[in-house]
């Protein structure tokens, strides 16, 4: 018996962790990026299934780990913001000093979610 297909919630983005440095990365039109503003947004099931195929291929190559679709809300400026707090934390980085480290580069994206 084939496993039941999981319902895809839309719109969605593909999120993963870089295998070498652990950064949260997003699939874009140019490949993986640490910038959530560049994430490619799937707005229909066909696009989401293409993102799932990208995830499967990237996992098979060992390019990333923990790749999965994340349902998002789109802000007025088009930035995809995960609906679940777990993924919002992954994107925002450590909350103790958001002005330091890798997450500081995207401080302009926080607080407007």
């Amino acid at each position: 018996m084939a496993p039941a297909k999981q319902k895809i919630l839309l719109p969605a983005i593909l999120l993963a962790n870089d295998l070498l440095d652990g950064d949260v990365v997003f699939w874009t039109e140019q490949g993986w990026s640490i910038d959530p503003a560049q994430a490619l947004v799937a707005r229909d099931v066909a696009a989401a299934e293409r993102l799932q195929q990208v995830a499967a291929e990237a996992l098979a190559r060992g390019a990333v780990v923990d790749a999965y679709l994340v349902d998002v809300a789109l802000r007025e400026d088009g930035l995809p913001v995960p609906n679940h707090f777990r993924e919002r934390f992954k994107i925002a980085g450590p909350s103790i000093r958001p002005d330091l480290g890798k997450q500081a580069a995207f401080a302009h994206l926080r607080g407007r979610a």
Side-chain angles (χ1 to χ4, degrees):
M1 184 168 145
K5 260 189 154 179
Q6 191 171 27
K7 182 178 179 183
I8 298 173
L9 299 176
L10 297 171
I13 61 173
L14 178 58
L15 179 148
N17 288 91
D18 185 277
L19 185 61
L20 297 179
D21 61 19
D23 279 344
V24 175
V25 291
F26 308 88
W27 183 252
T28 72
E29 291 185 8
Q30 289 80 39
W32 295 104
S33 170
I34 62 170
D35 184 354
Q38 296 181 10
L40 190 62
V41 178
R43 298 172 193 271
D44 57 43
V45 172
E49 289 175 346
R50 285 192 296 276
L51 289 180
Q52 288 179 320
Q53 183 62 38
V54 167
E57 292 169 5
L59 290 169
R61 285 193 322 272
V64 295
V65 294
D66 199 23
Y68 57 97
L69 292 181
V70 174
D71 61 301
V72 295
L74 298 175
R75 294 190 332 196
E76 287 183 18
D77 61 2
L79 181 73
V81 178
N83 288 326
H84 195 276
F85 70 92
R86 178 178 183 260
E87 281 74 28
R88 287 197 301 268
F89 285 149
K90 285 182 79 168
I91 291 172
S95 59
I96 295 172
R97 290 291 310 264
D99 57 323
L100 301 175
K102 296 175 185 177
Q103 68 274 10
F106 303 107
H108 64 288
L109 300 177
R110 277 190 291 280
R112 297 188 310 181

